Amino acid sequence: MGEKLSQFWKASDQKESEGKLILPRQKDAEDEIASYASINGGDPAMSCVPCVGIASRSYVNCPTCQGTGRIPREQEKQLVALIPYGDQRLKPRRTKLYVCLAVTICLLMTSLSIFFLFPRSITVLPAGLNASSIGFNATTTSIYLNMTNVLNITNNNFYPVTVVQLDIEVLHQSLVIGKTTMKTLLNISPLQSGQIYYMVASRILDNNTYNICTWTKIKVHNVLLHIQGTLTCTYLCHSEQLAFENYQYVDCRGNATLPHPLHHPLL
C-alpha cells in the first residue's frame, strides 16, 4: 500500500513540474506578441506579427524600419520596394504585341518616306524650233537669226519642282553666235511635264554661210546650229543644275513658224 501512495505522489509531482514548464513558455510567446503589437501602435489582431511556435526564435527585425513597421518620411523616395519575381505585374500579356506593332509602324513609315522623298531624275528634252526670223547685211556679209525654241521638262518625282533659270548658248562651227539667260518661275507638279519657250538672237559672220543662205540657185538653205543649255531647278530646299544640248537645222532663207505641242510621256 505504501508503494502505491509513493508512486501516486511521484506522478502528481511530475505533472505539476511539467505544467510549470509549459505555462511560462506560453506566457513568453504571448508577451512577445503583445510587445510587437504595442511597438506598432495598433491593434494586435491587425498588426503584422512574426511566426510564433516552433521557429519563433528564428526571425530578425527589418533593418530598414527596425521592427516598427514604419519608415521616416525623408526616406520615402530613397527606398526601393521589392516585388516577387512571379508577380503578374512583371509579365504583361501584350508587351510583345505592342513592341512588334511599334517596330512595324516605324519601318513602314520609314519605307514610305524614303520611297516618296527619294530624288528622281528631271528629264530635259529639247523639242526643236518653234519660230525663226532671218535678216541679211550685204555690207558685212552677216546673217541675223532670231529663233524661238521649245524645251520640254518632265518631273519624275512625287513632289513639285520649280524652274528658276535657263542659260543658253548657240554655236555655229564651234563659234558662239548667241547667248541668252532667262529668269523664269515655272512650277511643275509631281509626275507632270511643262514647256519653256526661249528666244535667242544670233549673228553669223561667215562668207560661205552667207552665200549658201542668199544663193537662189540652191533649193535647200539650212544652217546647222549647236545649242547648249543649263537649266536650274529647285526642290525640297535643294538646287540642281541640269545640262542639255541639241543639234538642229534652221532654214536661213526666210521666216518660219513651226508650232510644237507638248507631248506628255506615258506614266
Side-chain angles (χ1 to χ4, degrees):
M1 185 71 180
E3 292 180 358
K4 292 181 179 181
L5 289 174
S6 62
Q7 291 178 357
F8 175 78
W9 286 111
K10 287 180 180 180
S12 61
D13 292 339
Q14 185 177 0
K15 289 181 180 180
E16 185 179 356
S17 62
E18 289 177 357
K20 289 180 180 180
L21 291 174
I22 293 173
L23 290 176
R25 290 180 182 176
Q26 293 178 352
K27 186 177 180 180
D28 291 341
E30 293 175 358
D31 293 341
E32 289 177 1
I33 295 173
S35 62
Y36 188 84
S38 62
I39 290 174
N40 285 321
D43 187 3
M46 301 299 294
S47 304
C48 296
V49 297
C51 296
V52 179
I54 297 176
S56 60
R57 299 294 182 180
S58 63
Y59 70 89
V60 294
N61 290 335
C62 176
T64 303
C65 62
Q66 299 300 326
T68 62
R70 295 184 178 90
I71 59 173
R73 186 175 295 276
E74 58 270 10
Q75 296 183 5
E76 180 181 1
K77 297 183 179 180
Q78 299 177 2
L79 300 178
V80 178
L82 299 179
I83 302 176
Y85 180 78
D87 196 296
Q88 190 64 27
R89 290 173 294 177
L90 298 178
K91 299 178 181 179
R93 298 180 180 178
R94 299 183 179 179
T95 302
K96 293 183 179 180
L97 176 62
Y98 294 150
V99 172
C100 294
L101 185 61
V103 172
T104 303
I105 292 175
C106 292
L107 291 177
L108 180 61
M109 295 299 294
T110 303
S111 302
L112 290 177
S113 299
I114 294 175
F115 177 78
F116 287 105
L117 297 180
F118 186 79
R120 293 172 174 79
S121 62
I122 301 173
T123 306
V124 181
L125 181 63
L129 182 67
N130 182 70
S132 64
S133 61
I134 304 295
F136 301 98
N137 188 340
T139 305
T140 59
T141 63
S142 58
I143 304 171
Y144 296 93
L145 174 62
N146 296 327
M147 58 181 179
T148 302
N149 291 343
V150 183
L151 194 64
N152 291 338
I153 306 169
T154 303
N155 180 16
N156 298 315
N157 297 283
F158 288 92
Y159 43 82
V161 172
T162 303
V163 180
V164 295
Q165 184 173 331
L166 176 64
D167 299 313
I168 296 293
E169 282 187 353
V170 180
L171 293 85
H172 175 65
Q173 296 180 357
S174 301
L175 297 176
V176 178
I177 60 174
K179 289 183 179 182
T180 185
T181 298
M182 185 174 62
K183 301 288 184 179
T184 182
L185 189 63
L186 176 63
N187 295 318
I188 304 177
S189 302
L191 304 178
Q192 297 296 326
S193 300
Q195 278 187 334
I196 294 180
Y197 291 81
Y198 62 91
M199 187 185 70
V200 183
S202 305
R203 182 184 179 187
I204 302 176
L205 297 174
D206 182 68
N207 291 331
N208 294 329
T209 304
Y210 181 83
N211 293 331
I212 292 174
C213 294
T214 57
W215 199 6
T216 57
K217 294 183 179 180
I218 300 177
K219 296 182 179 180
V220 179
H221 307 83
N222 291 333
V223 178
L224 179 62
L225 301 178
H226 182 199
I227 300 176
Q228 295 178 344
T230 302
L231 190 70
T232 304
C233 302
T234 60
Y235 55 90
L236 297 180
C237 301
H238 172 73
S239 180
E240 182 179 356
Q241 289 186 340
L242 305 173
F244 63 93
E245 63 178 359
N246 183 37
Y247 290 91
Q248 67 181 24
Y249 286 95
V250 179
D251 187 0
C252 60
R253 180 60 182 173
N255 301 334
T257 301
L258 304 172
H260 288 270
L262 175 65
H263 298 282
H264 295 278
L266 295 177
L267 300 178

